[in-house]
Amino acid sequence: MRLSVMVFGLVCVCALLIGAAAPLVQDDGDVRGAFLTSRPKDKPVSSGTTAKPSRRKPKPSGGSNNPGSGTTGSNNPGSSHSGKPVDKTPNKPGPSSTPVTPVNARRLGLGVTLFMRDSNGLAVRVDPNHVFQKGDRVRVLLETNTDGYLYIFNTTDDGPATMIYPDAELDEAGNYLQAHVPFEIPSSVSTDERLRWFAFVKTAGTERLFFVFTREPLGGIPIDDDLIALCKDSKCPVKPSTEVWEVVQKQMQEPLKTDKTQEFGSAQTATEKQAASRGLGLSKEDPPPSLVMMASSARSTLVATLDLIHK
């Protein structure tokens, strides 16, 4: 199958079915509760601006915005990184230098909700095990439980991997996410209807999305200005090096604890859409993710997979 993802001029062919985040260990505790406990009880106060905060790597500020610390205040939109900081220090190759996980760091968690366009054009929650047909359109809403960096890679029928996020034409090539501030791919607020969905096309097959969530930037993968410069030299899309991909494959072997809801068919809420488009945090009263995956220990990287199947 060809994943047809039309995101900012890039065309991919997408067929979606959530597979287990490799390899998964079924929940033996309150995974969903552990993930949602860091959401604020009340709605974050809106900053009054319609602009999204920057997803570029934040500049050091005395440790108060240390990604992965779990104490950044990222649920307060007023403290969002609304500027455009640029880290001119290139990423060093060699992801073998694994960052040290802070003591008492929150276990990394990733929430995934799959939406499908219905006959009325609305985005409705769909079971990850749904089998898709030609013409179906879907979107993924992601949420993390702490600040960090998100990378999304795609393989087609177990072929070579290609990075589809960060993207030089999306979010200024940044990939920094704040805790419980949802991220849509593709974006529901794109001005072009064709760019709002992953579209299933004629060719059947199996795609796999790899969600790599890290406390610190992944070594050997360009982001921000480095990625923009690389793409200007026509070296995009980025394909991870053998060394980087070996690290991703190794992290996939780490067990994840999961919890999947059985409630599907409800439409995406206005709050979810607004939060994703404006960079606002979700509160405990907002709908939880359909699928929650959490690391079994406080490590620095979480790798989960989403199998995309089109028949």
Side-chain angles (χ1 to χ4, degrees):
M1 173 187 67
R2 299 298 171 200
L3 175 64
S4 176
V5 181
M6 298 172 290
V7 181
F8 297 89
L10 295 179
V11 179
C12 308
V13 181
C14 178
L16 262 118
L17 172 92
I18 290 186
L24 296 179
V25 174
Q26 186 57 38
D27 172 35
D28 60 0
D30 187 7
V31 171
R32 187 170 295 270
F35 181 84
L36 295 175
T37 189
S38 50
R39 274 190 184 181
K41 181 179 179 181
D42 301 317
K43 290 283 187 183
V45 178
S46 174
S47 62
T49 179
T50 58
K52 283 201 309 183
S54 174
R55 293 201 189 278
R56 288 190 160 208
K57 181 180 180 181
K59 291 181 178 179
S61 55
S64 60
N65 287 321
N66 179 24
S69 66
T71 59
T72 63
S74 58
N75 289 320
N76 178 6
S79 65
S80 297
H81 307 285
S82 56
K84 299 179 180 179
V86 177
D87 181 4
K88 297 185 180 297
T89 302
N91 287 336
K92 295 181 180 180
S96 57
S97 53
T98 305
V100 177
T101 302
V103 178
N104 298 325
R106 181 177 297 137
R107 287 183 298 137
L108 294 179
L110 180 68
V112 179
T113 302
L114 180 62
F115 290 99
M116 180 176 177
R117 189 180 69 174
D118 69 5
S119 58
N120 297 316
L122 296 176
V124 297
R125 286 168 171 77
V126 63
D127 189 333
N129 294 320
H130 184 84
V131 177
F132 297 93
Q133 307 296 327
K134 177 183 176 181
D136 289 341
R137 295 179 184 274
V138 294
R139 179 185 302 129
V140 183
L141 185 71
L142 300 167
E143 177 186 349
T144 63
N145 69 336
T146 190
D147 299 352
Y149 298 83
L150 176 69
Y151 301 82
I152 305 177
F153 301 96
N154 169 229
T155 62
T156 300
D157 291 331
D158 296 323
T162 298
M163 185 172 76
I164 62 175
Y165 190 81
D167 186 313
E169 298 184 74
L170 182 63
D171 294 333
E172 300 179 291
N175 63 337
Y176 178 72
L177 301 190
Q178 293 178 306
H180 299 296
V181 175
F183 167 74
E184 282 184 327
I185 185 168
S187 173
S188 62
V189 296
S190 172
T191 56
D192 191 335
E193 171 67 17
R194 297 173 306 159
L195 306 181
R196 296 177 187 172
W197 301 93
F198 290 115
F200 293 88
V201 296
K202 185 175 181 179
T203 306
T206 300
E207 302 282 338
R208 173 167 284 188
L209 295 181
F210 296 78
F211 300 110
V212 182
F213 181 52
T214 65
R215 298 186 190 274
E216 297 291 343
L218 188 65
I221 296 291
I223 60 174
D224 299 344
D225 285 345
D226 291 338
L227 179 58
I228 291 175
L230 187 71
C231 292
K232 283 183 178 179
D233 292 335
S234 301
K235 296 181 180 179
C236 288
V238 173
K239 297 184 182 299
S241 67
T242 300
E243 185 180 14
V244 168
W245 200 238
E246 286 177 352
V247 171
V248 172
Q249 296 290 316
K250 180 179 179 180
Q251 290 294 332
M252 281 181 58
Q253 305 308 312
E254 295 289 341
L256 300 179
K257 297 186 177 184
T258 70
D259 182 280
K260 189 181 82 168
T261 183
Q262 298 301 318
E263 299 178 4
F264 303 104
S266 60
Q268 183 179 21
T269 66
T271 299
E272 288 175 308
K273 184 179 296 187
Q274 184 184 59
S277 63
R278 295 179 56 190
L280 304 178
L282 296 172
S283 69
K284 285 185 168 62
E285 64 185 68
D286 293 315
S290 295
L291 178 66
V292 174
M293 297 168 283
M294 291 195 69
S296 56
S297 61
R299 58 180 188 267
S300 62
T301 302
L302 179 153
V303 177
T305 62
L306 184 65
D307 281 348
L308 320 175
I309 300 176
H310 175 205
K311 293 185 178 181

